[in-house]
């Protein structure tokens, strides 16, 4: 099975990406990160996922392993398939998506294509418990830890998340993030 594809970006639009790898061309729908970080004519190594069923063959391409893992986790949510998971990853960066799930932001998730309130709640319920297994950056880990600490102190999760969005958490320690958030709460 193909897990990674190394190749030169031949075409890149919001509707498709074409990669030339040797004598083969791979076509897929680009994710948010691919659209933001890739340039035509440059070579990249993409993570991939191939699905074969009796009705369809689908080839998905991702900028990195984080996107691929989030995609695979989204597909596990009941009533959410590969096409819907890919539509989500086209419109939002995985870090933002993880933050929405961690903060239980039903309203924000509902704004994504093909996601209504009930599906947003299912995503939060089914992936929120397994958030520890989702790959996240240091910034998202600090955000999650700060959310949990402030929630344990009795603050409402959505209010805490909105306050934390205003703080530059990348440059601060966890203790400083919590201290600044407490001042604003």
């Amino acid at each position: 099975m193909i897990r990674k594809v190394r190749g030169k970006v031949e075409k890149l639009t919001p509707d498709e990406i074409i990669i030339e790898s040797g004598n083969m061309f791979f076509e897929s729908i680009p994710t948010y990160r691919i659209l933001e970080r890739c340039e035509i004519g440059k070579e990249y190594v993409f993570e991939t996922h191939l699905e074969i069923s009796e009705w369809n063959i689908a080839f998905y391409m991702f900028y990195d392993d984080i996107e691929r893992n989030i995609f695979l986790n989204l597909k596990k949510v009941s009533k959410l398939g590969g096409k819907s998971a890919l539509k989500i990853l086209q419109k939002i960066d995985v870090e933002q998506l993880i933050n929405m799930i961690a903060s239980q932001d039903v309203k924000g998730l509902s704004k994504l294509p093909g996601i209504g309130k009930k599906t947003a709640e299912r995503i939060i319920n089914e992936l929120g418990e397994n958030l520890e297994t989702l790959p996240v950056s240091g910034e998202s880990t600090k955000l999650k830890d700060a959310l949990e600490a402030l929630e344990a102190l009795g603050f409402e999760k959505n209010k805490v998340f909105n306050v934390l969005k205003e703080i530059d958490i990348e440059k601060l320690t966890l203790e400083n993030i919590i201290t600044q958030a407490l001042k604003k709460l």
Side-chain angles (χ1 to χ4, degrees):
M1 180 177 278
I2 300 170
R3 174 70 195 263
K4 292 181 186 260
V5 171
R6 175 186 295 274
K8 184 171 70 170
V9 177
E10 291 293 321
K11 182 177 181 182
L12 181 61
T13 68
D15 297 323
E16 73 177 336
I17 180 172
I18 298 177
I19 305 296
E20 179 184 5
S21 181
N23 293 331
M24 296 184 69
F25 289 87
F26 296 95
E27 180 180 5
S28 183
I29 297 171
T31 62
Y32 183 88
R33 283 188 173 186
I34 289 174
L35 287 171
E36 291 293 313
R37 299 177 183 183
C38 293
E39 297 176 27
I40 294 175
K42 291 199 174 182
E43 190 170 296
Y44 299 91
V45 176
F46 296 97
E47 292 289 325
T48 63
H49 179 69
L50 179 66
E51 283 184 4
I52 300 173
S53 71
E54 59 188 272
W55 301 284
N56 189 23
I57 296 175
F59 183 72
Y60 300 101
M61 210 173 313
F62 307 97
Y63 184 78
D64 55 23
D65 198 38
I66 295 172
E67 271 191 342
R68 184 179 184 279
N69 288 336
I70 295 299
F71 170 80
L72 294 174
N73 277 287
L74 283 171
K75 280 184 32 173
K76 292 177 187 175
V77 174
S78 59
K79 299 183 183 179
L80 193 70
K83 288 181 182 180
S84 297
L86 188 61
K87 282 182 186 178
I88 292 169
L89 291 176
Q90 278 186 286
K91 297 298 179 195
I92 189 170
D93 188 63
V94 292
E95 299 292 335
Q96 292 172 298
L97 179 62
I98 291 169
N99 290 340
M100 285 179 158
I101 295 168
S103 66
Q104 299 182 353
D105 185 3
V106 173
K107 190 175 182 179
L109 286 170
S110 298
K111 292 179 183 176
L112 295 172
I115 305 299
K117 183 180 178 188
K118 287 184 180 183
T119 304
E121 289 170 349
R122 264 198 314 276
I123 290 170
I124 289 168
N125 290 336
E126 294 181 29
L127 294 183
E129 298 168 359
N130 301 323
L131 203 57
E132 296 80 28
T133 64
L134 298 177
V136 293
S137 71
E139 181 180 320
S140 295
T141 302
K142 283 195 280 187
L143 175 70
K144 184 175 170 288
D145 290 344
L147 270 169
E148 287 175 357
L150 292 165
E151 189 179 16
L153 292 173
F155 293 101
E156 186 182 322
K157 197 169 206 167
N158 287 333
K159 287 181 184 177
V160 171
F161 184 71
N162 289 331
V163 168
L164 290 174
K165 283 196 295 188
E166 299 170 7
I167 299 172
D168 185 12
I169 64 174
E170 188 175 312
K171 298 177 183 177
L172 299 174
T173 65
L174 179 60
E175 292 78 18
N176 289 338
I177 295 168
I178 294 170
T179 302
Q180 285 192 17
L182 284 170
K183 289 177 184 177
K184 294 183 178 193
L185 289 168

